[in-house]
Amino acid sequence: MKFFIDTANLDQIREAQALGVLDGVTTNPSLMAKEGITGKQNILKHYVAICNIVDGDVSAEVIATDFDGMVKEGEALAKLHPQIVVKIPMIQDGIKAIKYFSDKGIRTNCTLVFSSGQALLAAKAGATYVSPFIGRLDDISTDGLNLIAEIRTIYDNYAFDTQILAASVRHTMHVLDCAKIGSDVMTGPLSSIVGLLKHPLTDSGLKQFLADYNKGN
Ligand code: E4P
């Protein structure tokens, strides 16, 4: 499973990259605003800065909600850097734009996906990634992980190439459950990645090993 980090914070992206297990980055307008990155030119510069830190795919979201606007913005984003994947919302014109980009060989991430029907449409339009938001479904007492499982079944039934990018991941159990189901990618905060290495028996075992070593020294 690929690990993406879901942030626009450059320090956290650097830290995840330094771990050696990072495969990409997802951002969205809210994550940019959280870092104080506002205004079109600053946002574009920030995407390039992120691409210069990581080796993998970096999702950059269009703001337009009409087909022509999404095409114009998406083409400009794709030209920014070869690692950019154009992030497009799951709306009617978004599906048309995904099909347009797919035909032109421009990679896309279909975002704000909350049902398997939406995921089926995104795959048929040729999306590179589909982003089901599992945490936000959990927030409204709906089973986000079940959505990942449903999409996995549908994509496997028809051998769709679209990769399932489990988004809105909140914690390590989401990461593990997505891995068990067979999600191709997960995107979450740095804590959801670093949390995987924690176990109290590792800590106590290491403490004991070091104490025993020091007895003879
Ligand atoms: C995905 O690409 C989104 O940026 C993200 O995962 C949304 O997560 P949130 O529900 O924690 O805002």
Side-chain angles (χ1 to χ4, degrees):
M1 181 167 69
K2 290 187 205 167
F3 280 6
F4 287 2
I5 188 171
D6 195 30
T7 184
N9 182 291
L10 297 184
D11 288 338
Q12 289 189 14
I13 293 170
R14 279 191 203 98
E15 202 176 328
Q17 174 68 19
L19 260 181
V21 298
L22 190 67
D23 301 295
V25 177
T26 51
T27 61
N28 62 43
S30 307
L31 292 171
M32 284 285 184
K34 196 174 160 196
E35 299 307 319
I37 314 295
T38 53
K40 191 177 170 187
Q41 290 313 316
N42 289 333
I43 289 173
L44 296 182
K45 265 191 238 159
H46 205 72
Y47 285 137
V48 175
I50 294 172
C51 289
N52 288 335
I53 296 171
V54 301
D55 298 322
D57 291 345
V58 175
S59 289
E61 189 156 343
V62 298
I63 303 303
T65 52
D66 64 296
F67 175 78
D68 290 338
M70 282 190 259
V71 163
K72 195 172 160 207
E73 259 186 69
E75 284 180 336
L77 287 170
K79 275 188 197 137
L80 268 186
H81 198 283
Q83 285 166 239
I84 293 283
V85 175
V86 181
K87 204 173 183 189
I88 309 237
M90 165 44 75
I91 53 177
Q92 197 154 339
D93 275 20
I95 288 297
K96 292 181 198 167
I98 288 169
K99 172 70 177 138
Y100 171 89
F101 286 127
S102 163
D103 288 346
K104 291 195 83 179
I106 292 175
R107 295 174 308 140
T108 54
N109 173 358
C110 182
T111 191
L112 291 166
V113 167
F114 294 94
S115 77
S116 49
Q118 291 178 325
L120 177 57
L121 258 183
K124 285 204 56 88
T128 313
Y129 295 104
V130 65
S131 288
F133 279 34
I134 61 174
R136 291 193 194 187
L137 281 169
D138 289 355
D139 288 345
I140 57 159
S141 306
T142 307
D143 188 352
L145 289 166
N146 185 52
L147 174 58
I148 302 291
E150 279 183 17
I151 300 171
R152 183 72 284 156
T153 302
I154 291 169
Y155 283 10
D156 287 351
N157 282 347
Y158 299 100
F160 281 120
D161 289 335
T162 301
Q163 295 180 54
I164 304 173
L165 196 176
S168 188
V169 159
R170 301 276 166 79
H171 46 69
T172 54
M173 284 312 293
H174 270 157
V175 178
L176 283 176
D177 286 332
C178 284
K180 286 185 212 162
I181 293 166
S183 189
D184 300 290
V185 192
M186 79 83 199
T187 191
L190 182 60
S191 58
S192 69
I193 299 173
V194 175
L196 292 170
L197 63 80
K198 290 183 186 152
H199 198 287
L201 290 179
T202 304
D203 296 340
S204 59
L206 181 61
K207 197 174 164 195
Q208 187 65 53
F209 285 155
L210 296 178
D212 288 341
Y213 173 84
N214 285 325
K215 279 180 192 165
N217 292 289

